[in-house]
Amino acid sequence: MNKATNKGWDPTIADLDGFREAQKLAYRCAEAIADELTPGMTEREAAALMQRWLTANGANDCFHQPFAWFGDRTAFRGFIGFRHFGGFNPAFYPGSRKLEENMPYILDCAPTLNGYTADIGYSGCIGENRILDKLMDDLLEYRLLILDQVRQRKQLSEISQAVDRLCARHGYEPRHKAYPFQVLAHRVEKLEADEKKHRSVLNFGVRNIGKLVSDVAKGRREGWSPLWSSGHASDHAPTPGLWAVEPHLGFRGVGAKWEELLVVTEEDAFWLDDDVPQVRRWASRGLEPLAKAA
Amino acid sequence: MSTQIKAQAEPQTLRVRSGDVELAVKVYGDTKQPAKQPVIVLVHGYPDSNHVWNKVVGPLSARYRVVAYDVRGAGESTVPAHTAAYELEHLVADLAAVVDAVSPEQPIHLVAHDWGSIQSWEAVSTERLKGRIASYTSISGPSLDHAGYWVMQRLRSAAPGDIAKVANQLMHSWYIGAFHLPLAAPLAWKLGLDQLWPKLLERFEGIRAESTPTQTSDGRHGVNLYRANVAKRLLSPRERRTSVPVQLVVPTRDRFVSLELLDGLDQWVDQMWRRDVAAGHWLQLSHPELVVRYVSEFVDFIEGGEEPASLHRARVRSGRKPGNDKYAGKLAIVTGGGSGIGRETLLALAEQGAEVVAADIDLAAAQRSAELAELLGATAHARKVDVGDAKAMESFAAWVAKELGAPDIVVNNAGIGMAGNFLDTSTADWEKILHVNLWGVIHGSRLFGKQMVAAGKSGHIVNVASALAFAPSRMLAAYATSKAAVAMLSDCLRAELADQGIRVISVCPGVIDTPITGNTRFVGVSEEEQTRRRDGAKKLYQRRNLKPQAVSAAILKAIDNNRQEVLVGSEAHGARLLSRLSPALSRRLARMELSF
């Protein structure tokens, strides 16, 4: 039922349900593991817990295996903040940093369920962290800004630059710039649904990365890029399809992000699911512009 | 004023008995309604008498009952013959007798200097006057017992740094050893030191003081204070704790008491405030108005009034995260604090404990900076100010003085960019850039410099210039000129304020990626070309990738190390070197047309 277009595809209702299920699974995983985190646990242990949970709950492939960052690594401070090897920094991988009370953490997982891939980010801490609270509150503005500008069909590079400016106004560092290729977002595509367990290389799912690479090739021919950043490669209108958007803010030694799938159609755009932890958190804190987000 | 002068002119004099000595006591202020006013008791040091308070009793007695007395052995009070009669317990008994006489019910506020302060420490930390002292302002006189512990703790640690601190204090205390020599000190006073004393004070302390009639006797007999107490207390100190609120007023250029002696004092005192003044030992003579202000603020607060911001900042808080309070108790003002270098500097100061004020033409941006500073645990304020507008800056400075007190650190950072040929730069362009870049620094340095001098703050004025201050370029005539002016202003001001202990730092950053590039005006080109060049410049600055954080870190380092000038970025160092080694080449390079 996929409608092929020159720039991508308009997903069917059934497809969107599939992606939504995958995203729900990913967030459930993050919330479940967040509940299990205790001081003293390492990033590697947290990431392994997530991987085990996802496998046990039906995920058989991934865009990337779960990441976990603790403490100032959430803000990509230190080695992790450098860009090496063409934007690929091994310091990204979960390390031996131990979780402490009041320390921020980020859990990031991207499971594939029945051929549908999600990619989510989840921030929190055990205890209290005022800076983290503020970052997470302010992340609401980014969700509003991005959707608003995509709906205006602004160029993706322009939107990413608007995000950069919002960061500057807020006094935050746009830490997604430390991601490979400095992406604010990247495409995810539908895969073949099957029961097999699929391979990852260097923690990245082979099938999903394969799709991304073919998107890159296709995008080159057609004048768009599946890697959404502030650079010239993203000087194009929003391309229909699913985008995993991941604004990541840093202030001093604290970082926070969310990551959600944005559905872009030929004419419109919307967040795949509004029932996600960060939206529930903003609502519970009575943050003002949330009404506009609906 | 008339009441002050009258009050000062006609003190009531009393003779108060304490054991077998009689103390000469002067009471200033409205004696008809004594119950209504707080009572302040002033205790002088060595080799002084109650006259040492002459400059402060007037203003203080306008609002308080003020009591000044001659301690035993000084002024008009009895001079006991035996050294043992000068032991601290007798001095405390004297104070108690005075307090009983002048304020039998209401607890008094104690203000003491030098030996007066030493004996008052004993008074606030022993039983005799328990409940009778509401507050204690100590000027330049530590508790001998605290000092004894201080020396022991440092000698025991055996760390070279600690031993050096003890050695430093011993050097400050050379005269104490001399006082223990038989005959020497009394003989010196007899042989004319009394006549010489005012001259010595003027020569070494910069104070004008009249010789008092009892100077010779005060000098001779007061030596007994040292002989009776110093060795005994230093060698076997006793624990001296107090729950009386203590305000330390610390002259930072004291020749007789080293500042390190006050380290760790909070272990003995429940509630403590500390105010540093860049002045010598006799603060009540050199800065009487400051002493009056500090005492009044403290007394009013203890009497149930509000805690003014400057007093609040002076509170010594133990238990802050160690290493994170380098600027605790300091007030920092940053112009252009809403973005770029200004915001980063503001946050870096806030992170280290300073109270900060973000001043910016963009109020929302300033408020955001203040909000971030608060997240870092600081007290922060935001004000909208056009730094080049004299009236606006005056009212801003007046607001700071009234609400927060004089600043310790002023960062004149606000600036705008401008590029293009000189001949294309209009009068309006010039006025616009000089308004912010030069006048802003002039107003900030002038208004806050005055406040700092008046408050005896040995603080810092940080003026943000640019590497272009010494790197001419045909492309940046207006900007480079404005920054060169800032650098020269800073050099002149540094010389002027050196005597006051206020340091002036010029900061010369190279190519820093800040929002200024996005707002730089390119003169003599079309709007479209301007946008293109702005983007070009922005890209160049981004590629250089030198962040405002680099500048803020350099500024803090300069403050800590008392540097006069900081260069940020290799291009700044290169340009500086070139301007010195080969000015001709520097001028030749200025002809290069850079295209963005």
Side-chain angles (χ1 to χ4, degrees), chain A residues 130-177:
Chain A
R130 283 177 64 211
I131 296 178
L132 179 70
D133 277 339
K134 183 71 188 155
L135 285 166
M136 287 170 71
D137 287 353
D138 288 340
L139 272 167
L140 169 59
E141 261 187 76
Y142 295 79
R143 197 173 187 266
L144 299 173
L145 173 82
I146 292 165
L147 181 63
D148 185 48
Q149 300 218 343
V150 171
R151 281 183 168 162
Q152 292 176 39
R153 314 305 286 181
K154 290 207 174 166
Q155 295 202 336
L156 294 185
S157 56
E158 227 178 297
I159 301 173
S160 178
Q161 286 158 16
V163 167
D164 297 346
R165 278 195 299 276
L166 184 57
C167 284
R169 189 159 69 68
H170 277 150
Y172 298 145
E173 288 173 79
R175 292 319 286 157
H176 46 268
K177 302 256 177 226

Side-chain angles (χ1 to χ4, degrees), chain A residues 25-91:
Chain A
L25 177 82
Y27 268 119
R28 262 169 53 219
C29 168
E31 288 181 310
I33 303 312
D35 277 348
E36 281 184 45
L37 290 180
T38 50
M41 203 175 260
T42 64
E43 289 175 355
R44 270 194 211 109
E45 287 163 346
L49 282 176
M50 281 198 280
Q51 183 59 56
R52 223 170 300 150
W53 193 97
L54 289 170
T55 311
N57 287 274
N60 64 337
D61 197 355
C62 65
F63 188 89
H64 60 74
Q65 287 180 358
F67 288 126
W69 300 298
F70 296 166
D72 63 358
R73 279 172 55 85
T74 58
F76 295 153
R77 279 246 168 140
F79 185 62
I80 191 172
F82 288 96
R83 280 180 279 132
H84 315 260
F85 316 118
F88 186 83
N89 181 349

